[in-house]
Amino acid sequence: MIEFVNVTKHYPGRRHVLREVTLRLGQGEMALLTGPSGSGKSTLLKLLTRLEDVSHGTLMVGGVDLAMLRRRHIPADRRRIGVVFQDHKLLMDRDIFSNVALTLQVAGVSGRQVESRVRAALDRVGLGERWREFPETLSGGEQQRVGIARAIVHTPEILLADEPTGNLDPALSTEILDLFRDFHHHGTTVLVATHDQAQVERLGMPVLHLEHGRLMVPKELS
Amino acid sequence: MNLHARTLALRNARDTLLRQPAATVLTILALSVVLALPVGLFTVLGNLQNLLGHWRNQAQISLYLHRNAGPVAVARLRARLERSPGVVGVRYVGQTEALAEFQHYSGMMAAIRTLGENPLPASLIVELNPLAQSPQILEASVQRWSRDPAVASAQSDLQWVARLQAIVSLGTRAVWALAFLLALGAVLVMGNTIRLHIAQRRDEIDISALVGATRSFIRRPFLYQGLIQGVLAGVLAWLIVMAAIWYLQGPVNRLAALYGTRFPLVSLTPGQGMALVALSAFLGWLGSRIAVGRRLDNTFS
Ligand SMILES: Nc1ncnc2c1ncn2[C@@H]1O[C@H](COP(=O)(O)OP(=O)(O)OP(=O)(O)O)[C@@H](O)[C@H]1O
Ligand SMILES: [Mg+2]
């Protein structure tokens, strides 16, 4: 589903942020992306959503070479992917329903369908009853779950998360990561970047470890 | 694009405008004043041209008739003149009348009387709308008319027409130049308003882009915002112009009465009003389009 072949990335006027990264994540698989701060985790995820372009090498997502993707096809391509952010990036002036509905609205899903699918997604993350509230009335963990609902409401093939538990206490982290594992069990391809060593050990999932932009051979697989 | 997406964008635009009523009203007011100014000037100019066009005894041509021209020939010439473009009226001045007029203006009756018979020819006085045709075309017409067998000679003063036309075309140009500048002003007003809205809603734009919104999806609410404000400003500008005309009509009436005439001011026709609204809507749309295009180029690159 996701395939990096010798992918290198450098930002203008900077040393390489990713060097010769080669990895493969099959359909329905889940992996954790780890590494110290500045090692290139966020950059790797940004390449997948075409927020950044690959400098060298090939990046295939669902059989599509992203370098070949025309600019005007990027929006449609992004809809195959759900993204969860550490700071959840919710719209504070819109209620929870509208925040989650945005993903469907940009895809042109009609009103009645939006309603039922948003409610289903919120049920899935345990916030079914609170769709009329605004983000600021929710706790950090609840806000993060709204972000997750927004990322999965259109049932994407791929779910990416960039340190989704960075601001949460251990119990909430467990809760959120279990949610991701749940989606993985339902067939979604999941890639989660995290700092949280305790969670990495608890989950026992394949780990992709970055150091200075290089992918280390994961301990678990060696 | 489907209707649902448009409805969604329209609702979004409406909500944004209603969330900041003061800013919205101010933008619409600024825009309407910017538009009402040139439109008002065009209306005044139109009325002025109207007035000049019906100003009798200013641009006239005298065709002196042959002594032996028969009434049928004169009648035929007269009919031909009346059909000519730009001719407002044709007046026949018989020999006796000409003498009476001459007497009235010169008082040289004694000199004339010594001649024994009336030396003054009959004539056709052609009154022209001085703005209907260029002096060159008028000149050519006069040449043609003077070759009519019934006409002995023609007298015309087209210099005055040329001067008047030069002044009017200068005025028209000036108003057009002003209109162009103010239209540019309207685009800038709208562009800047939308730019501020965009700055306030950066998050929304960026997040929409992240979840896969197309450029047109992101752009549409802003375009509708510009369009809605443009339409409202256009309607308001229309009302302002109508009110101004109404306000001027009183003094104009009093002035006209002093000259023993009536001069109803012509306001915007419904067609012109609609055109004004359409133009305003377009300018609003254009302003947003430019502003949002610049922002999107940064988001998507
Ligand atoms: N837009 C950018 N322009 C220039 N350099 C950048 C840009 N984004 C990231 N970098 C640099 O690239 C390197 C990797 O950044 P990245 O955000 O991918 O790291 P990270 O592994 O996500 O770190 P963290 O754990 O702190 O989030 C860093 O040195 C960072 O300064
Ligand atoms: Mg990061």
Side-chain angles (χ1 to χ4, degrees):
Chain A
M1 183 52 86
I2 295 174
E3 194 167 5
F4 284 69
V5 181
N6 291 328
V7 169
T8 294
K9 170 67 186 175
H10 49 79
Y11 291 105
R14 279 185 145 266
R15 286 183 312 108
H16 291 174
V17 174
L18 291 176
R19 305 160 201 232
E20 309 263 299
V21 171
T22 298
L23 67 85
R24 207 183 149 275
L25 198 59
Q27 176 150 17
E29 290 182 348
M30 177 167 175
L32 301 173
L33 185 61
T34 61
S37 182
S39 58
K41 302 183 295 296
S42 297
T43 302
L44 190 147
L45 294 178
K46 283 177 185 169
L47 293 178
L48 287 166
T49 50
R50 274 289 299 260
L51 282 176
E52 293 292 345
D53 289 329
V54 168
S55 304
H56 299 287
T58 314
L59 172 51
M60 309 274 288
V61 175
V64 177
D65 183 345
L66 290 193
M68 295 294 153
L69 196 64
R70 303 282 284 274
R71 195 155 286 273
R72 66 193 157 89
H73 292 140
I74 292 175
D77 194 67
R78 281 185 185 154
R79 289 181 214 141
R80 302 192 302 164
I81 303 175
V83 188
V84 179
F85 307 91
Q86 177 172 357
D87 58 351
H88 48 71
K89 292 198 194 300
L90 298 181
L91 294 169
M92 299 313 266
D93 60 349
R94 300 219 194 162
D95 63 19
I96 289 164
F97 180 90
S98 307
N99 267 284
V100 177
L102 185 67
T103 308
L104 297 175
Q105 286 166 344
V106 303
V109 176
S110 74
R112 211 168 304 127
Q113 276 209 44
V114 168
E115 169 110 34
S116 62
R117 290 174 69 175
V118 169
R119 299 294 290 275
L122 284 171
D123 280 342
R124 192 83 193 276
V125 299
L127 289 171
E129 300 307 312
R130 308 186 61 178
W131 55 284
R132 281 208 169 284
E133 289 180 38
F134 282 79
E136 59 192 10
T137 67
L138 301 184
S139 72
E142 288 162 347
Q143 292 183 355
Q144 193 55 286
R145 282 190 277 158
V146 175
I148 294 171
R150 184 182 63 194
I152 54 98
V153 65
H154 57 315
T155 54
E157 301 158 51
I158 299 169
L159 183 58
L160 305 177
D162 193 358
E163 300 187 35
T165 61
N167 294 330
L168 305 178
D169 66 32
L172 279 176
S173 299
T174 299
E175 200 182 300
I176 296 291
L177 284 168
D178 284 352
L179 210 47
F180 284 113
R181 192 173 50 187
D182 233 35
F183 294 122
H184 155 58
H185 286 153
H186 282 86
T188 310
T189 309
V190 181
L191 183 57
V192 179
T194 180
H195 272 314
D196 195 333
Q197 204 49 46
Q199 290 294 342
V200 171
E201 276 158 28
R202 184 184 67 86
L203 285 165
M205 296 257 173
V207 170
L208 304 163
H209 187 74
L210 282 171
E211 291 276 356
H212 301 296
R214 266 185 215 289
L215 196 62
M216 303 285 118
V217 179
K219 272 180 277 176
E220 282 85 344
L221 302 182
S222 60
Chain B
M1 212 23 216
N2 64 51
L3 186 68
H4 174 65
R6 285 177 195 283
T7 321
L8 207 67
L10 198 61
R11 211 178 304 147
N12 184 324
R14 181 201 60 194
D15 291 348
T16 309
L17 292 176
L18 291 180
R19 245 198 310 274
Q20 297 165 320
T24 304
V25 167
L26 281 177
T27 303
I28 292 172
L29 279 177
L31 212 57
S32 66
V33 169
V34 161
L35 288 167
L37 212 56
V39 173
L41 284 175
F42 272 122
T43 313
V44 166
L45 200 69
N47 276 297
L48 218 56
Q49 287 179 338
N50 223 354
L51 178 66
L52 291 171
H54 293 92
W55 208 352
R56 301 265 168 155
N57 305 325
Q58 288 302 321
Q60 57 182 32
I61 294 165
S62 306
L63 299 175
Y64 297 106
L65 300 172
H66 271 301
R67 224 158 255 285
N68 54 4
V72 178
V74 173
R76 199 185 304 125
L77 173 60
R78 183 174 181 159
R80 183 180 151 202
L81 291 172
E82 277 168 347
R83 278 198 309 273
S84 301
V87 171
V88 178
V90 181
R91 191 157 54 87
Y92 177 76
V93 180
Q95 274 194 291
T96 346
E97 250 177 289
L99 187 64
E101 263 181 39
F102 183 76
Q103 223 169 325
H104 181 77
Y105 287 113
S106 67
M108 280 167 44
M109 212 45 217
I112 296 276
R113 237 181 242 134
T114 58
L115 291 173
E117 87 185 279
N118 181 356
L120 297 176
S123 60
L124 285 175
I125 310 294
V126 184
E127 281 168 359
L128 297 165
N129 174 348
L131 301 179
Q133 282 160 312
S134 73
Q136 289 77 15
I137 292 179
L138 275 179
E139 188 65 59
S141 303
V142 173
Q143 292 290 329
R144 214 168 45 248
W145 296 333
S146 63
R147 282 198 296 273
D148 189 282
V151 176
S153 67
Q155 191 192 36
S156 59
D157 179 14
L158 297 176
Q159 198 63 36
W160 183 83
V161 172
R163 270 188 223 124
L164 182 70
Q165 290 197 1
I167 290 171
V168 168
S169 81
L170 180 67
T172 312
R173 272 254 177 121
V175 174
W176 269 113
L178 193 68
F180 176 76
L181 284 177
L182 290 172
L184 195 64
V187 171
L188 293 178
V189 166
M190 190 48 80
N192 195 48
T193 307
I194 297 294
R195 201 180 54 77
L196 291 175
H197 279 297
I198 289 169
Q200 284 169 359
R201 294 168 63 192
R202 259 190 81 137
D203 284 354
E204 188 181 335
I205 293 178
D206 292 348
I207 292 169
S208 300
L210 275 175
V211 298
T214 57
R215 287 177 79 102
S216 64
F217 180 92
I218 294 175
R219 191 161 48 198
R220 202 173 290 126
F222 293 105
L223 295 185
Y224 285 1
Q225 248 177 291
L227 208 62
I228 292 171
Q229 293 185 99
V231 167
L232 293 177
V235 171
L236 196 58
W238 189 357
L239 291 178
I240 290 174
V241 171
M242 303 248 284
I245 298 275
W246 172 83
Y247 182 66
L248 290 177
Q249 184 66 68
V252 166
N253 281 345
R254 282 193 289 281
L255 193 65
L258 290 177
Y259 284 92
T261 173
R262 284 170 35 76
F263 187 66
L265 291 175
V266 176
S267 191
L268 293 181
T269 64
Q272 288 169 326
M274 302 286 212
L276 169 60
V277 173
L279 177 74
S280 174
F282 171 72
L283 293 177
W285 177 88
L286 185 66
S288 345
R289 169 86 201 209
I290 293 169
V292 80
R294 288 171 46 110
R295 177 74 194 110
L296 281 181
D297 285 343
N298 297 336
T299 304
F300 278 86
S301 58

